[in-house]
Amino acid sequence: MFPRIVYESFRHQARRKLLAGVAITLGVAVATAMIAVATDIGDKINRELRSYGANLIVTPQEDTLDVEVGGVNLKPPSDGAFLNEADLPKIRGTFWHNNIVGFSPMLQVTAKLGSGPDAKDVTLVGTYFNKPLHFGKQDFATGVRITHPWWKVTCGDGRLARSGRVEDSPAACGWPNDDSQDILVGERLAAKLVKKPGDTLDVANRQLTISGILSTGAAEDEDIVAPLAVAQQILGKPGAVRRVYVSALTKPQDAFATQDPNTMTPEVRDRWYCSPYVQSIAFQLQEVIPYSHAEQIRQVAQNEGTVLSRINGLMLLVTLAALLASALAVSAAMATAIFERRVEVGLMKALGAGNLTVSAIFFAEALLLALVGGVAGFSAGALLARQIGRSIFNSQISIEPVLFPVVLAIAVFVTFAGSAAAIRRAVKFDPVFALRGEG
Amino acid sequence: MSTTGTLHSPKQVADRRARAPHTSMFARMLLRAAVLRRRRAAAALLAMIVAAAVATAMMNLYVDVQAKLRTEFRNYGANVVIVGKYGQSLAADALTKVDSASGPGGKALAVPFSYAVARTKDGQSVVVVGTDFTRARQLNHWWKVSHWPDEPNQALIGMRAATLVSPNRQPFELTFQGKAIELAPAGMLQTGAGEDSRVYLDQSEFQKWTGVSPSTIEVAVSGTTAEVETSIRQLAQLLPPADVRPVRQIMEAEANVLNKTRATLYASATLVVLTSALCVLATLMGWVFDRRRDFAIMKALGASERLVNGFFAAEAAAMGAVGAILGFFIGIGVAVWIGRANFHAPVVPRFGVFPYVLAGSVAVALISAILPITMLRRVQPAIILRGE
């Protein structure tokens, strides 16, 4: 009898049930989408913060002091120690290699521009643009295009470079190939020299083709940027790298992060090692690159945590507001649906049904509605979250499967809570008044 | 109504009623409906208030959070840099000009830097920088400094420079073009960047020693991208012999993160406001639908379609307006609290949001009243009164 009453109620009041179901579905959808966005926003913003550039720098351990003013290096170029280029792919072998977004080596050399008596000194920076590398079985590409996203290559006349490689269409300007002899010229230097892409430059007695004009808003605007191999040839030190910029996704640092790993007990040290703090990633970089010293770039690394926690906190509060609003919407819909059925309650009670039976029928209906609405709402919310992720962050917002039972439980709880007061009032209502149509 | 009860003579009652405004019946119906069913009315009003409060808080946050985040982003340091053309020093009054452009206590913080390459006793080169420590400390929050110099002839030494000039933190000597200076290390500076290889001195002492005046001024301008660009143009006009450049790394990354955050907040705020509207719709529709007997009685007593519609519409509008006003203030409170809790700075109440909240609330309330009325209009009053 009990299932039949519930079934008939759904069959005969399809429209009302549909309304309550829609309210639950929408409420659950909004809640799911907001929870998914809020749990994923930290990771997404962390990735966006990488547009500030590298947060770690690796230098040779025994390096001499940098003597650099306004981006001009005054130190003799062959002075000091170097890292070995061959060690760099090992960065992909560290424990947190999945957190390492990219790295780019730098080698600054001072080269003669032009020949004869009017030759002048210019700084040439050798680096990776988007160099294909492999470590073990993984193939990957890395370079300044990943670690220095604010570097822009133009054609010198304001047009932005095509994203494709130069060789696709030789007439166009763009990023040089890493195994070519093509170079980028900083926009200030290019303006001084009156050079444009396609021209050749005589740098240290080599004829190098300009493939694009580089704009960075910093010291590189006065420099020449070339593939690493070109800089190594000019310096006469194959495989030499002065420093490596590493861009890594890190966890905001806390008191634990700043402890010295050498004073930790083995278990604590393991926990520290296995947390993606900027300090532990620096420690691991030092392990894989021989004779190196890795350090956080504090300007980038220190501020990340604050910005991240602010945005995280904000989204958490907004999610709470969304949960509150959808809970209220669901309860309101349920309360309305039940209040309209006082006559039915009166009839049931007149026929001898107890308060418990009547409540049980209503709760069973609410449970059914909550489950159906919860499942539909969860799917709709997942789609919504995906849409938000794709349109805002150009990447997928992943929905944790564990969220499903949680959301379903919340849906059932909220539906029950919303119905409870209305059910109690409906049950307490005198059947005589209800049947007479009063109240 | 209580006044009518206290009057004794029928004539007085008749007089009082005759003098009463014509609309009083309408107003009384509205009032009685709210008083008699106060629980249902309170529930509907509560839904209205909560929805208006949530909407207000979200709109307020959406407007204010961008300004809040911009302040956070200023912790990344200077976004504009002024350098002398062709590596020359800036004019002596450059810093004063920059300060005056931003106004006293204004939106910009300018820090001068001057550079020289000095030699240590054993002939090694080291870059020495003259700056204003008080300003540098405000600008560069990420500098990890063990102790800021507070006495004359004290220097701040970069981590890597320290191993060269003062490995045991003893006083050391530097020479620049034959002029020597004796310095005591005040503290160590660690940044992970170029600053680690330098020695920092107070600008006046530096200038006395080397005669070099500032060649770079780093400026942190707060405000939107457009405001920063205006400041750059102003500064360029003010200092014609200097190059005023935006720091692209900082500006572009900031714009990027801010845009993404704003878009996410916008999407979330829209969802929350829509859900609150749904909540109001559900509650108010129930409240109106529930009173179909009132509706039927009014019609049975001969009320015109217009009067009945007007009655329910006026009721809904009144509820929407009251809910919007109460909800607006609660929402402002919530926004201020969020600002305090999350950003440790008060959110400025945006009263400009109020008309939108009011209009939205009244519109949603009207929709939720009109929908059930149009449904009921097709039904004969007799059927409703029979309780079917």
Side-chain angles (χ1 to χ4, degrees), chain B residues 101-296:
Chain B
S102 59
K107 298 183 297 171
L109 174 67
V111 187
F113 289 101
S114 39
Y115 298 89
V117 179
R119 289 196 178 275
T120 61
K121 256 187 174 160
D122 39 351
Q124 301 256 30
S125 306
V126 62
V127 177
V128 184
V129 188
T131 188
D132 184 326
F133 283 124
T134 345
R135 288 171 183 240
R137 192 174 181 169
Q138 276 176 298
L139 179 71
N140 299 329
H141 286 282
W142 70 90
W143 281 18
K144 190 180 169 190
V145 172
S146 57
H147 186 258
W148 287 88
D150 42 16
E151 281 169 45
N153 282 332
Q154 277 195 336
L156 193 59
I157 306 172
M159 282 297 271
R160 293 177 59 192
T163 52
L164 185 78
V165 299
S166 173
N168 302 316
R169 314 204 57 188
Q170 77 278 28
F172 57 96
E173 196 186 86
L174 292 175
T175 17
F176 176 77
Q177 292 177 350
K179 280 173 82 177
I181 190 171
E182 182 82 16
L183 292 169
M188 303 286 237
L189 166 68
Q190 193 182 2
T191 69
E195 293 88 352
D196 283 359
S197 316
R198 298 176 187 154
V199 174
Y200 282 82
L201 268 185
D202 183 70
Q203 177 60 38
S204 56
E205 283 169 35
F206 179 84
Q207 205 155 343
K208 224 178 345 174
W209 170 41
T210 60
V212 177
S213 55
S215 59
T216 307
I217 296 178
E218 291 187 1
V219 193
V221 186
S222 47
T224 61
T225 319
E227 282 167 1
V228 174
E229 274 162 10
T230 318
S231 299
I232 291 175
R233 272 197 300 277
Q234 275 176 0
L235 289 172
Q237 268 176 6
L238 212 58
L239 302 164
D243 263 337
V244 184
R245 310 175 191 164
V247 182
R248 287 254 311 275
Q249 176 183 7
I250 301 295
M251 301 242 315
E252 284 184 12
E254 179 182 321
N256 184 22
V257 176
L258 208 57
N259 280 344
K260 300 283 156 86
T261 313
R262 187 170 49 197
T264 316
L265 198 61
Y266 183 74
S268 318
T270 314
L271 284 182
V272 173
V273 170
L274 280 180
T275 321
S276 335
L278 178 78
C279 171
V280 169
L281 208 68
T283 323
L284 245 65
M285 267 173 79
W287 150 254
V288 173
F289 205 74
D290 217 50
R291 290 170 46 214
R292 53 187 180 274
R293 291 169 63 85
D294 297 5
F295 172 83

Side-chain angles (χ1 to χ4, degrees), chain A residues 101-222:
Chain A
V101 177
F103 60 86
S104 25
M106 294 280 172
L107 179 65
Q108 279 196 352
V109 296
T110 310
K112 285 261 180 280
L113 190 62
S115 52
D118 59 337
K120 54 180 176 178
D121 278 343
V122 65
T123 307
L124 183 141
V125 183
T127 188
Y128 289 165
F129 296 106
N130 196 21
K131 178 141 172 132
L133 293 171
H134 51 88
F135 176 77
K137 280 187 185 130
Q138 352 170 23
D139 288 306
F140 60 98
T142 189
V144 284
R145 293 182 68 173
I146 295 166
T147 58
H148 293 60
W150 66 95
W151 282 23
K152 293 253 161 7
V153 173
T154 63
C155 301
D157 49 7
R159 276 185 303 134
L160 275 180
R162 300 169 336 104
S163 49
R165 294 216 166 159
V166 187
E167 71 269 31
D168 297 342
S169 118
C173 61
W175 290 90
N177 220 339
D178 276 297
D179 44 19
S180 69
Q181 296 273 317
D182 297 339
I183 54 168
L184 295 175
V185 179
E187 57 180 358
R188 281 162 197 282
L189 183 66
K192 245 184 268 176
L193 298 173
V194 201
K195 290 282 184 189
K196 59 180 198 303
D199 295 349
T200 54
L201 261 183
D202 183 357
V203 184
N205 301 321
R206 286 169 176 77
Q207 294 300 318
L208 303 177
T209 313
I210 301 174
S211 79
I213 306 299
L214 177 69
S215 161
T216 70
E220 295 84 5
D221 281 352
E222 312 259 8

Side-chain angles (χ1 to χ4, degrees), chain A residues 281-325:
Chain A
I281 293 179
F283 186 82
Q284 289 156 12
L285 288 173
Q286 258 165 240
E287 281 181 337
V288 293
I289 304 177
Y291 310 111
S292 69
H293 175 77
E295 200 171 342
Q296 53 168 316
I297 300 175
R298 293 180 65 89
Q299 178 175 18
V300 178
Q302 290 291 306
N303 290 320
E304 267 170 13
T306 344
V307 170
L308 209 56
S309 64
R310 293 281 185 270
I311 295 177
N312 258 336
L314 181 70
M315 283 311 290
L316 185 78
L317 291 168
V318 171
T319 307
L320 281 182
L323 288 180
L324 179 78

